[in-house]
Amino acid sequence: MARLDVTEMFHGISFPGHLHTQDSLQLALKCQFQDTDILIVSYPKSGTTWMQEIVTLVTNRGDPHVSQTVPNWTRAPWLEQYYCTATLKASSTTPRLLTTHLPHHLLGPALQGSKARIIYVSRNPKDVVVSFYHFHKMANFLPETGSFPEFLNRFLDGTLHYGSWFDHIKGWTSQAAALNLLHITYEEMSMDLNGTIKKVSSLLQCPLLEDEVSSCVKHSSFNSMKNNKMINYSLIPDEIMDYSKGSFMRKGQIGDWKNIFSKEQNEYFESVYRSKMQDYSLEFMWERQKFEDQPI
Ligand code: A3P
């Protein structure tokens, strides 16, 4: 399945045709969730892969064998991607670990009444757009970026692949109470990986000994993951991900947006952010400081 230049439009959102078909997207909406399922939900570039690694390690009590021998898309397939059904059929692992980038307004109905454990991972959107921009440069299944200001406008308009970041975060977080959902931020993972692992182990009812927690921390660190070919996407051929243009495990930092945003872009971003998020009390860490020091 190459289809590198194909775009699938689904419910007004564009998805890369290399990974999605109308059938696979449709099937995702009809998913019969099991109460034991673990579902990682995120907008792209928010720390999805990091959480896949954390959950794999937690459910294996810190033993890195699975995370070092099975690619992340096999152990935590994206529900809406074309290979998901076959991957789930071939696997006998319980509980099932699934991943999705779909917004709540599309996937919510399938989750109604479900006790599936959901981990929603978010990241401050300035770093999301910068990470997404760099990822577009190397991922040949994503469209040309254009200039950074053009890309930023498309992010703020919600017209990039996978749709609007604003709709995604508002949709999932506003429904958290009706779902068995734990919201974890990239910044929290970055500042307190140990605490994040304990929260995940508690949600999944996988109590861990201190040395098992330490092993999870060690194997989900940026450097460990950068060197683990089962999670760093180096198994993907160069025609699909062009490693001469970057790497998936790029910087892994909070506040990298400051290296690319101009003053004007930042002001524009903040005005759009304020108007779209005015009814939501979410707070993000925009740089490596305390939450209460943040400007928005
Ligand atoms: P950067 O491009 O800013 O480096 P996703 O998995 O949702 O696509 O997110 C990818 C982003 O998460 C990339 O951000 C990547 O470097 C970062 N990331 C992945 N694993 C990480 C880790 N262990 N520590 C810090 N950042 C990590």
Side-chain angles (χ1 to χ4, degrees):
M1 174 124 163
R3 304 201 328 144
L4 294 175
D5 296 326
V6 177
T7 290
E8 291 290 354
M9 281 305 291
F10 187 68
H11 291 261
I13 300 177
S14 55
F15 292 89
H18 172 60
L19 295 164
H20 306 81
T21 62
Q22 289 297 319
D23 281 353
S24 73
L25 288 157
Q26 212 45 268
L27 267 177
L29 305 199
K30 294 191 197 132
C31 178
Q32 306 233 315
F33 286 99
Q34 299 168 8
D35 286 349
T36 50
D37 285 345
I38 304 166
L39 178 66
I40 298 171
V41 182
S42 65
Y43 189 83
K45 313 320 287 178
S46 302
T48 324
T49 318
W50 197 358
M51 187 52 77
Q52 289 174 328
E53 196 73 334
I54 290 172
V55 173
T56 303
L57 287 161
V58 166
T59 51
N60 286 281
R61 306 189 67 103
D63 180 344
H65 177 73
V66 173
S67 67
Q68 290 173 355
T69 51
V70 185
N72 62 312
W73 56 85
T74 303
R75 56 182 142 102
W78 273 260
L79 195 58
E80 60 273 20
Q81 297 186 354
Y82 74 91
Y83 56 81
C84 185
T85 309
T87 305
L88 290 179
K89 255 189 206 143
S91 160
S92 54
T93 313
T94 41
R96 300 190 304 181
L97 174 56
L98 299 159
T99 307
T100 185
H101 288 320
L102 290 176
H104 182 269
H105 69 270
L106 293 185
L107 197 58
L111 281 162
Q112 211 164 17
S114 167
K115 294 194 182 73
R117 279 92 35 103
I118 301 172
I119 304 175
Y120 186 72
V121 187
S122 69
R123 184 180 192 183
N124 89 60
K126 294 181 189 175
D127 283 337
V128 168
V129 66
V130 171
S131 178
F132 211 10
Y133 175 70
H134 289 292
F135 187 57
H136 272 66
K137 299 269 184 210
M138 67 173 301
N140 286 336
F141 55 87
L142 292 172
E144 292 292 322
T145 53
S147 66
F148 180 70
E150 285 162 359
F151 190 83
L152 182 59
N153 282 337
R154 295 205 329 262
F155 177 82
L156 293 171
D157 289 348
T159 52
L160 292 176
H161 276 11
Y162 300 95
S164 160
W165 178 89
F166 297 98
D167 291 349
H168 203 280
I169 190 136
K170 291 197 275 192
W172 283 102
T173 58
S174 64
Q175 295 306 314
L179 297 165
N180 189 5
L181 183 147
L182 172 69
H183 181 183
I184 292 191
T185 65
Y186 178 96
E187 292 76 20
E188 200 178 337
M189 289 151 81
S190 182
M191 302 291 286
D192 182 13
L193 187 51
N194 196 292
T196 299
I197 285 162
K198 288 182 176 164
K199 277 191 187 171
V200 170
S201 84
S202 162
L203 175 82
L204 304 183
Q205 292 168 311
C206 282
L208 299 177
L209 301 171
E210 271 315 313
D211 63 331
E212 293 168 341
V213 173
S214 303
S215 179
C216 293
V217 170
K218 175 176 162 201
H219 294 289
S220 59
S221 70
F222 185 82
N223 283 336
S224 290
M225 285 179 58
K226 196 173 174 69
N227 293 319
N228 178 0
K229 62 181 191 306
M230 295 297 151
I231 196 100
N232 66 12
Y233 290 94
S234 59
L235 295 176
I236 304 286
D238 276 14
E239 310 85 79
I240 297 169
M241 284 210 202
D242 186 342
Y243 298 97
S244 69
K245 296 192 178 141
S247 59
F248 180 84
M249 296 292 298
R250 193 181 60 89
K251 281 195 174 175
Q253 288 172 2
I254 304 172
D256 187 40
W257 61 272
K258 292 183 133 194
N259 295 316
I260 184 164
F261 272 52
S262 67
K263 190 168 170 287
E264 293 69 31
Q265 285 159 8
N266 192 35
E267 281 166 8
Y268 180 57
F269 188 103
E270 295 201 356
S271 70
V272 174
Y273 183 92
R274 265 195 295 271
S275 87
K276 290 196 191 258
M277 299 295 283
Q278 59 182 335
D279 296 329
Y280 291 81
S281 56
L282 293 170
E283 300 220 32
F284 284 101
M285 182 183 285
W286 303 95
E287 51 192 291
R288 258 187 115 77
Q289 299 172 2
K290 287 187 183 155
F291 283 95
E292 49 272 27
D293 293 340
Q294 300 307 306
I296 301 182

